[in-house]
Amino acid sequence: MTTFGDYQAPPFWRRPFFRRSAAQIAVVVGLLAVLSFFIGNASANLAKTSTTLGFGFIWSRASFELGEGITGFVAGDSVLAAFWAGIVNTLLVSLASIVTATVLGIAVGILRLSSNPLSRLLSSGYIELMRNIPLILQMLFWYAVITRSLPTPRKALSPIEGLYLTNRGVYFSVIQMPPSAFWALVALSVLLLATLAARATSRERTGSLGRLGDFRLAGAAVVAMLAVVLTTGSVDVPEIAGLNFKGGASITPEFTAVFLGLSIFSAAFIAENVRAGILGVSAGQKEAAASLGLRDGQTMRLVVLPQALKISVPPIASQYLDIVKNSSLAVAIAYPEIMRVATVVISEVGRSIEVIAIIMAVYLSISLAISALMNAYNKANLAKGT
């Protein structure tokens, strides 16, 4: 014990630094002990069955079909190709659901604060209903509606020309074009986006709408894109052939059910996040906008929503992560996302530990990517000030 005059320093084990360090070391040691226990237990069980860990199975041939996907996977391709097809299917349905749920959620959140009592009642009923029904039940409901209520392809519903609704999916017309024309459209789209981004940056810095050349360049890109489509594209219309349609493009009942379930369910939570953000904007902001002569719609669009998004973005980002993770429930209706592929691979090769590790890494990577993008957007949004 150290003595300074009348003051006596406490023993080292009673000092805050030592106690904090000891607590952290104890936690780390405890976690390592738990991890070591599970690893040892797994190793012992694998040794009893003469099984070894390894990821060489991903190069073996897959003897199963997925039934749906844009990667072109067929039986006989590698297990790695099957995993890739499942990842693409997961990303496809998740991205479509994120976009739809965001648009629908913002609209419903605004309507719940509307001065119209009917709008408030309908939006409140939608939110309370969708939030309190399990997502998997909603997916099963939409799947049953599509497969049981819609007619066969020969009696398909056609609300507009070139669109057909059947119990085997939704069939619609598409524009086909040669690969060279497709890549030309990609290049023109990049040019258009770059021009719009330059205009937005110029407006943020100078407060003006940008140079006249920017408008001309953007207009030229749009005209060129239309010219490419009109001169090289052809419309592929689905036509009934036998018991089903041929030509055009289609969306399967499984994808449609998962998409509707994720979108409608998540939109209810996003609506509440948006409503909370709007309520978090000071009433003085609305009063100032009204004093300037702005109408209610202009006030909401120009004053309230930009500030509300600063509050709503973090919880909305959490909803995006939930959409990706909740897409795993699609296994209940056999949509071939990554979880469905994993269950099939486990039944085929029996490598449960390795397969689970793969899908955990996939979900972790997607979630970290979404979090990074949303954090970057939120940081840029906050940097603009209120």
Side-chain angles (χ1 to χ4, degrees):
M1 181 178 298
T2 305
T3 304
F4 298 96
D6 295 333
Y7 172 75
Q8 292 182 343
F12 71 92
W13 61 83
R14 295 182 58 188
R15 296 176 185 177
F17 174 78
F18 174 81
R19 296 165 75 173
R20 288 195 301 267
S21 300
Q24 295 178 43
I25 292 173
V27 170
V28 172
V29 171
L31 291 175
L32 291 176
V34 172
L35 182 62
S36 176
F37 168 77
F38 283 113
I39 292 176
N41 192 32
S43 300
N45 291 332
L46 290 173
K48 291 179 182 178
T49 58
S50 300
T51 303
T52 58
L53 294 177
F55 292 90
F57 70 93
I58 64 174
W59 306 111
S60 62
R61 293 185 178 275
S63 60
F64 52 86
E65 292 281 359
L66 294 181
E68 179 177 356
I70 62 175
T71 63
F73 172 82
V74 293
D77 291 344
S78 66
V79 173
L80 180 61
F83 275 120
W84 174 242
I87 292 171
V88 172
N89 286 341
T90 296
L91 292 174
L92 187 63
V93 73
S94 298
L95 180 60
S97 300
I98 284 172
V99 173
T100 306
T102 302
V103 175
L104 181 60
I106 291 175
V108 174
I110 294 174
L111 287 176
R112 191 166 188 186
L113 296 174
S114 172
S115 57
N116 187 305
L118 180 59
S119 298
R120 290 200 307 273
L121 178 63
L122 292 177
S123 58
S124 299
Y126 165 82
I127 291 172
E128 296 303 325
L129 178 65
M130 296 305 164
R131 290 175 65 191
N132 290 287
I133 297 179
L135 175 57
I136 192 170
L137 291 182
Q138 296 191 36
M139 289 184 181
L140 291 173
F141 168 78
W142 289 114
Y143 186 67
V145 167
I146 295 170
T147 57
R148 302 296 182 184
S149 301
L150 292 179
T152 61
R154 285 189 169 275
K155 300 179 181 180
L157 301 176
S158 181
I160 60 175
E161 184 67 26
L163 176 65
Y164 302 94
L165 308 179
T166 76
N167 59 359
R168 294 189 180 182
V170 180
Y171 297 83
F172 52 92
S173 303
V174 293
I175 297 177
Q176 291 186 336
M177 57 185 62
S180 57
F182 170 78
W183 289 111
L185 281 179
V186 171
L188 290 170
S189 300
V190 172
L191 176 61
L192 178 60
L193 291 175
T195 303
L196 295 176
R199 282 186 55 208
T201 303
S202 175
R203 184 173 184 179
E204 288 290 335
R205 292 178 178 176
T206 65
S208 63
L209 291 176
R211 295 171 296 181
L212 183 60
D214 293 338
F215 290 98
R216 291 176 178 174
L217 186 58
V222 173
V223 172
M225 292 172 68
L226 292 175
V228 170
V229 172
L230 293 176
T231 56
T232 65
S234 60
V235 180
D236 186 13
V237 181
E239 297 179 352
I240 192 71
L243 299 177
N244 208 346
F245 283 95
K246 288 187 177 181
S250 63
I251 302 176
T252 63
E254 291 79 12
F255 178 91
T256 306
V258 176
F259 164 71
L260 290 175
L262 285 173
S263 301
I264 296 174
F265 178 79
S266 302
F269 291 90
I270 292 177
E272 284 295 87
N273 295 331
V274 171
R275 183 175 73 94
I278 292 175
L279 292 176
V281 177
S282 171
Q285 298 287 323
K286 303 173 186 178
E287 295 171 356
S291 67
L292 294 175
L294 296 180
R295 296 188 296 273
D296 290 342
Q298 292 176 319
T299 300
M300 179 62 67
R301 179 170 55 89
L302 300 175
V303 178
V304 177
L305 269 184
Q307 298 182 62
L309 286 178
K310 299 179 189 296
I311 304 173
S312 303
V313 165
I316 289 178
S318 297
Q319 291 303 317
Y320 291 169
L321 297 177
D322 286 342
I323 288 176
V324 175
K325 290 180 286 188
N326 287 337
S327 66
S328 61
L329 296 175
V331 69
I333 55 176
Y335 175 69
E337 43 73 51
I338 185 63
M339 183 63 72
R340 170 68 177 174
V341 174
T343 57
V344 176
V345 171
I346 290 176
S347 67
E348 290 282 332
V349 302
R351 297 280 188 168
S352 56
I353 295 179
E354 294 92 329
V355 171
I356 291 173
I358 289 174
I359 60 176
M360 287 174 64
V362 169
Y363 281 118
L364 178 62
S365 300
I366 296 174
S367 297
L368 291 177
I370 293 176
S371 297
L373 290 174
M374 294 304 296
N375 287 336
Y377 171 78
N378 192 39
K379 184 177 179 180
N381 200 28
L382 292 174
K384 295 179 181 179
T386 55

